[in-house]
Amino acid sequence: MATTAPTDLDGLVNWLIPDWELIPPTPDAVAQLPSFASKMRECERVCQQPYSELSHEIQDALVLRRLQQMVHTVRLNPLWRERLENAAVIRPPDSYEAWQAIPLADKETQRDLYMGAREGMVVPHERGGFEVVASGGTSSGSPLETVYSLRELSDTYAVAGHFLGAYLLSGHLTGADPKWLLTTLADYQMWSSGTMVGGVLQSVPGVNYIGAGPVTAPVLEHVFSYRGPKALMGISAGIAILAELGAGMSQKAKDSFRVALYGSGVLPRRNRDELKALYPNLAILSYFAATQAETIGLQLAESSPVLTAVPGLHLIEIVDENGRWVPEGEEGELVVTRLHAHEAPLLRLKLGDRMIRRPRLDGPGPKAQRFEFAGRTGDILHLNDSQYSAVRAYGAVRDELRTAGVVDLDQVAHEIQFVNRREERVITLYAAVDDVLPLTYRVDSLLGPAGLQRVLVDALPRSLSLFNDGEANPTSVAKTGYRLEVRFVPRHSPEIERTSVGKVPLVRDQG
């Protein structure tokens, strides 16, 4: 590479990824390609700015050049080449519009290409230098494996860790005392989150990392007694229980807890209130990740639920059913392409999450894609032939019950789950609460079956998406024959179904 970079944008990105790297001739050549992280660092040097703060124009141009390189790379694999040609993709995209013609991949595609013989890899795994990370399959129950090049994995840990430290933690972990970053994610049985997120957390500059795993109250108190501010990352249930585990610790230890990062989508308001009451200096923020992407989005401030992507880590797309980008403000499916994946690329993978596309972050500081969690793709209530968003349905039912003066589910519920008994035509909303009998009596006395039926038929039409609005009304919901039950159960009740890693799916179908 020449020592002097061109000053025009096209010249710059073509200089960063020259033609002889853009089109590697063989799998052996792919294994020798310079990392995309090295291109990001060189771009920083030339532009004299952190990559995250480069203009969208520069970032977009370099990422598009990298996507073109990825398409040339995957075409070295016969399965990928056939897959692209079947979709009439015969050349790398010359624009993001053209990129959207590349077929979406789902979990089954990933399973076919990267499990078993792992025939989708460009560089065969016999060569070595890979890490295999597995998930138990939170939604499907079927195991799923992801293959990473170790050299690129260390790069992505560093990129994500630096961004997390610079733009999220720096405002909370302050002062001259030691700074601590913990995770209670379990790192066992090949479950990925403890491994992947832990790799990011231990790459945050200037912090001391503790991979604690599931903790007891004495262990939490011991760690929180260390001098200095603490941040902790865990699944939603692992964060929620910190209110219970920390009840007996000293006030000084409680005061030192500054940031709680939760995964798994949503942390109920009741849990937030309990945590805030116990830990007065605590900020509660979302850390959105998956097996296939160690950092998808970070909530940078409590004032907004919007998630910010780490620039240069993945291409994040929010797409409609045809794989096309939805307009800003509209909801679609989350699609991720890992940009640091020479040897084992996976283009346009659907992760099973719904997101609302938000305007990009601009102005001083980072320039990044942004989006807002709207629920799992499987968080759907099926009533005959109609489909209703369970996230919106919960919000509508909650609002109906609150307006009727019955109960504020956000205030009382630790966990929420819909169970759809299709043969019986019953939707049961389970709520794990502290005061089961008084709340049960209150719903029965103020509403009863007829009142709950009114809640159902009024709430469900409001849970339709913008595009399906008008598909249902109270009369059509009533004609389905479905009825609503609200059932209060104690905390940790076995009536609420949980996955093997303790997550609570919002919807469970029975029959």
Side-chain angles (χ1 to χ4, degrees):
M1 183 182 292
T3 56
T4 303
T7 56
D8 65 292
L9 184 58
D10 288 342
L12 173 63
V13 297
N14 293 345
W15 176 79
L16 288 167
I17 303 178
D19 287 345
W20 57 86
E21 293 178 10
L22 184 72
I23 312 174
T26 64
D28 282 341
V30 172
Q32 302 302 316
L33 285 174
S35 69
F36 184 61
S38 71
K39 306 302 181 180
M40 292 169 60
R41 291 191 294 268
E42 186 65 10
C43 193
E44 287 182 325
R45 185 190 68 80
V46 170
C47 298
Q48 298 184 341
Q49 270 188 303
Y51 184 87
S52 296
E53 299 183 13
L54 293 174
S55 70
H56 289 296
E57 184 182 30
I58 293 175
Q59 289 188 38
D60 289 348
L62 181 56
V63 168
L64 181 60
R65 182 75 168 174
R66 169 67 186 123
L67 296 175
Q68 293 167 347
Q69 184 184 37
M70 292 184 76
V71 171
H72 280 300
T73 299
V74 298
R75 286 181 59 82
L76 294 171
N77 177 288
L79 292 181
W80 274 107
R81 186 165 60 250
E82 180 183 16
R83 178 177 172 80
L84 294 178
E85 290 174 354
N86 286 343
V89 178
I90 58 175
R91 63 178 62 86
D94 57 5
S95 67
Y96 284 101
E97 177 68 24
W99 167 259
Q100 294 169 58
I102 290 176
L104 299 175
D106 57 19
K107 300 296 180 68
E108 287 303 316
T109 308
Q110 181 182 356
R111 189 173 284 111
D112 292 343
L113 293 176
Y114 292 104
M115 291 185 68
R118 310 192 199 282
E119 295 178 341
M121 296 181 62
V122 173
V123 177
H125 66 282
E126 298 91 275
R127 185 186 182 101
F130 297 99
E131 177 172 339
V132 176
V133 179
S135 165
T138 300
S139 299
S140 67
S142 301
L144 190 67
E145 293 179 356
T146 306
V147 182
Y148 299 98
S149 161
L150 283 171
R151 68 177 177 124
E152 292 176 304
L153 195 54
S154 62
D155 283 336
T156 61
Y157 287 164
V159 169
H162 181 270
F163 186 89
L164 175 64
Y167 301 107
L168 192 156
L169 294 176
S170 61
H172 301 280
L173 303 185
T174 58
D177 287 339
K179 299 166 180 62
W180 303 91
L181 185 51
L182 303 80
T183 181
T184 55
L185 295 175
D187 188 5
Y188 61 89
Q189 297 178 340
M190 291 179 69
W191 182 44
S192 68
S193 297
T195 299
M196 301 300 294
V197 175
V200 174
L201 300 184
Q202 61 190 285
S203 300
V204 174
V207 303
N208 302 294
Y209 169 72
I210 299 177
V215 295
T216 60
V219 170
L220 186 69
E221 182 175 12
H222 172 74
V223 175
F224 273 31
S225 71
Y226 296 169
R227 180 169 55 91
K230 287 94 182 173
L232 186 150
M233 192 276 167
I235 63 171
S236 298
I239 296 300
I241 202 173
L242 296 177
E244 180 181 325
L245 296 180
M249 68 173 58
S250 71
Q251 190 60 49
K252 183 177 181 180
K254 294 174 186 175
D255 290 345
S256 73
F257 190 17
R258 304 299 173 81
V259 182
L261 297 168
Y262 65 91
S264 312
V266 176
L267 187 68
R269 178 177 154 190
R270 170 65 184 271
N271 299 141
R272 294 172 180 271
D273 292 343
E274 291 178 341
L275 289 164
K276 292 276 193 176
L278 190 67
Y279 304 103
N281 299 320
L282 186 63
I284 303 171
L285 302 167
S286 173
Y287 183 127
F288 199 85
T291 306
Q292 301 81 2
E294 62 275 36
T295 311
I296 298 171
L298 296 168
Q299 182 185 355
L300 299 185
E302 284 188 298
S303 58
S304 170
V306 171
L307 300 168
T308 300
V310 177
L313 195 61
H314 307 96
L315 175 66
I316 305 291
E317 303 174 75
I318 314 300
V319 306
D320 61 20
E321 62 275 11
N322 298 314
R324 295 288 170 173
W325 295 1
V326 301
E328 288 180 0
E330 294 187 10
E331 181 181 316
E333 187 156 8
L334 173 67
V335 171
V336 171
T337 299
R338 181 181 178 83
L339 297 173
H340 305 254
H342 284 314
E343 288 95 336
L346 185 51
L347 308 185
R348 307 198 79 201
L349 175 65
K350 298 191 294 182
L351 291 183
D353 296 289
R354 305 285 297 176
M355 294 285 177
I356 302 167
R357 184 181 175 191
R358 295 302 187 197
R360 300 201 291 190
L361 187 61
D362 216 330
K367 313 292 191 296
Q369 295 173 278
R370 297 194 304 170
F371 40 91
E372 185 177 343
F373 182 70
R376 295 286 295 169
T377 304
D379 288 346
I380 298 295
L381 290 170
H382 297 266
L383 276 69
N384 298 343
D385 294 329
S386 295
Q387 299 181 11
Y388 301 85
S389 161
V391 174
R392 290 196 183 96
Y394 166 71
V397 169
R398 174 203 61 206
D399 292 347
E400 291 284 337
L401 294 175
R402 183 190 291 156
T403 301
V406 179
V407 65
D408 187 335
L409 289 173
D410 278 350
Q411 289 281 3
V412 303
H414 298 280
E415 295 173 328
I416 289 289
Q417 186 173 78
F418 284 107
V419 175
N420 186 359
R421 297 177 175 87
R422 295 200 196 188
E423 289 188 4
E424 301 172 38
R425 295 178 183 263
V426 175
I427 292 175
T428 303
L429 176 60
Y430 285 92
V433 299
D434 294 328
D435 302 314
V436 174
L437 292 179
L439 289 170
T440 301
Y441 174 78
R442 186 168 178 81
V443 170
D444 289 345
S445 61
L446 292 180
L447 287 178
L452 283 173
Q453 190 64 15
R454 285 195 301 274
V455 169
L456 179 71
V457 300
D458 289 341
L460 280 187
R462 303 208 308 272
S463 67
L464 291 166
S465 71
L466 174 68
F467 300 111
N468 300 111
D469 190 23
E471 180 180 311
N473 55 45
T475 300
S476 65
V477 173
K479 287 181 178 179
T480 66
Y482 264 84
R483 60 187 175 87
L484 174 69
E485 294 179 344
V486 176
R487 186 172 299 175
F488 297 104
V489 297
R491 295 185 70 176
H492 315 302
S493 169
E495 291 189 75
I496 292 181
E497 295 185 41
R498 294 170 176 80
T499 69
S500 60
V501 296
K503 296 183 180 180
V504 177
L506 182 57
V507 178
R508 277 292 185 247
D509 277 309
Q510 295 183 0

